[in-house]
Amino acid sequence: MKPTARPRFRTPWLTLLIGLVGLGSAVVVVHRLAAVENESAAATESGAELAQPFNRGIEGFDESTIESKLDGGGARRRNDLRQRCLAALRELKLSCEAHGDQQILQAISECLRRLELLAEQERPPYLLRSPENLGRSFDYVVTGAAGGTVWGSDIYTDDSDLATAAVHAGALKVGEMGAVRVTLLPGRHSYRGSTRNGVVSLDYANWQGSYVLERIDGGATIAVAPAPAVKPPLAPPSMSGVIGEIGQSFEYTVIGAAEGYVWGCDVYTDDSQLSTAAVHAGLLEPGETGAIRVTLLPGRSSYEGTQRRGVASLDYGPWARSYVLDEVAP
């Protein structure tokens, strides 16, 4: 049984706090841009004089300045602030187009182009998480790093820092710039951490999205990978109502439970509750979701109960049909 990973520090109040910080930054940006517009309107008609106040105003939009203010803020916060800056710049661009301020418009357009290019080159994998993107590959140009947080080995949670995961996976060295291909995968019920290439990745339990990466040569393209396996259907309460031949196997998605009637040990009567039998058999923890294979067996003359992992199975006499469980590899 895989150990339960220590949960990451993700709380609703922390998410709200980060959102308020980002919103505050956007308000400062909008006020700053409004001040620039007012200053530009009061300036002389000289093109150079019109450009000077705006040039002072947009220096805060330079991508290197934005990055330096956000060190340690994480990819989510960085992307959020970029999007807010882009929205404010686009709004100001429309205003300048309407008033015919061509030199200011040119400066805005250049700054907007740089930020749009930077945002396109660094789209975190979690932003692309959607059913239609599963199995698709996206190329990034990144610089290997060792200071980010990564969960998993070979297959990483989709909010793992991409530059650090590239070093952990051996695709890049620290400080080396290169192109990597990221293929989006479904979530997994557990991620096993490890230490590789000077990077320590962490364990984690169930997470909704993941990715694998590899180093590539050449420009950025989008390639379509083979479609991922279909998730098994949700399990019935027990196998007593399932029609099947002896020896036939069925794969189900099961949510582990500690309460429910179970008869037998390793081999269970077919009316034993699947979610509880999976915990008793050591395949799942209570509340954990996983794929389980159920194989039908002939009945037995007796079933012996045991106490395991907080679940008490019961003894029983003859019963017409039984089953065994095993884990389905992701």
Side-chain angles (χ1 to χ4, degrees):
M1 168 55 58
K2 300 174 182 176
T4 302
R6 183 176 180 178
R8 281 174 271 175
F9 190 63
R10 296 177 182 171
T11 59
W13 64 264
L14 180 58
T15 303
L16 178 60
L17 178 60
I18 293 175
L20 290 175
V21 171
L23 181 59
S25 301
V27 171
V28 171
V29 168
V30 172
H31 280 287
R32 187 173 186 179
L33 292 174
V36 170
E37 280 193 298
N38 293 335
E39 188 176 356
S40 297
T44 69
E45 295 300 320
S46 167
E49 291 176 344
L50 280 172
Q52 284 177 1
F54 181 76
N55 289 336
R56 292 199 302 271
I58 67 167
E59 61 185 13
F61 285 103
D62 181 76
E63 60 267 22
S64 62
T65 306
I66 291 176
E67 295 298 326
S68 67
K69 291 179 180 178
L70 290 175
D71 54 338
R76 296 181 187 226
R77 183 181 173 192
R78 182 166 61 250
N79 180 77
D80 180 66
L81 183 55
R82 279 200 191 120
Q83 296 305 318
R84 294 176 185 274
C85 290
L86 285 169
L89 279 173
R90 290 178 182 130
E91 184 176 351
L92 185 55
K93 181 182 177 182
L94 292 175
S95 177
C96 290
E97 288 175 345
H99 292 86
D101 298 330
Q102 294 302 317
Q103 290 193 344
I104 298 179
L105 179 61
Q106 183 178 359
I108 294 175
S109 299
E110 175 61 20
C111 187
L112 189 59
R113 184 193 66 81
R114 294 205 314 266
L115 275 181
E116 286 176 337
L117 179 62
L118 192 64
E120 179 67 20
Q121 289 178 344
E122 191 182 339
R123 292 177 296 174
Y126 69 83
L127 291 179
L128 301 170
R129 185 198 299 162
S130 61
E132 60 270 19
N133 279 338
L134 285 180
R136 295 184 67 189
S137 298
F138 299 84
D139 293 352
Y140 296 86
V141 176
V142 297
T143 302
T149 307
V150 177
W151 294 271
S153 298
D154 299 321
I155 298 178
Y156 304 95
T157 63
D158 66 357
D159 62 340
S160 294
D161 182 72
L162 189 55
T164 309
V167 174
H168 185 270
L172 293 173
K173 296 179 181 179
V174 176
E176 179 186 10
M177 178 179 289
V180 295
R181 175 162 296 147
V182 176
T183 302
L184 302 181
L185 300 176
R188 297 164 64 93
H189 67 277
S190 66
Y191 299 82
R192 180 67 60 86
S194 62
T195 301
R196 293 180 184 171
N197 306 313
V199 174
V200 178
S201 70
L202 306 175
D203 294 340
Y204 198 67
N206 187 54
W207 187 249
Q208 302 96 319
S210 61
Y211 66 77
V212 295
L213 60 86
E214 60 180 330
R215 176 138 187 191
I216 59 172
D217 295 320
T221 58
I222 294 180
V224 179
V230 177
K231 186 177 180 180
L234 194 63
S238 71
M239 298 299 291
S240 60
V242 176
I243 299 175
E245 299 179 357
I246 298 301
Q248 185 174 354
S249 296
F250 302 84
E251 292 184 2
Y252 296 112
T253 298
V254 179
I255 303 174
E259 297 179 356
Y261 286 105
V262 177
W263 293 271
C265 178
D266 297 324
V267 178
Y268 304 96
T269 63
D270 71 348
D271 60 342
S272 295
Q273 186 165 317
L274 281 170
S275 57
T276 311
V279 174
H280 185 269
L283 301 179
L284 294 174
E285 297 287 344
E288 181 185 8
T289 302
I292 301 297
R293 181 178 293 108
V294 185
T295 303
L296 296 177
L297 298 179
R300 311 185 77 180
S301 59
S302 65
Y303 298 83
E304 182 178 357
T306 59
Q307 177 85 24
R308 283 184 183 174
R309 302 173 182 88
V311 174
S313 68
L314 306 174
D315 296 336
Y316 203 74
W319 191 255
R321 200 171 64 161
S322 58
Y323 65 75
V324 292
L325 303 172
D326 63 281
E327 187 177 20
V328 177

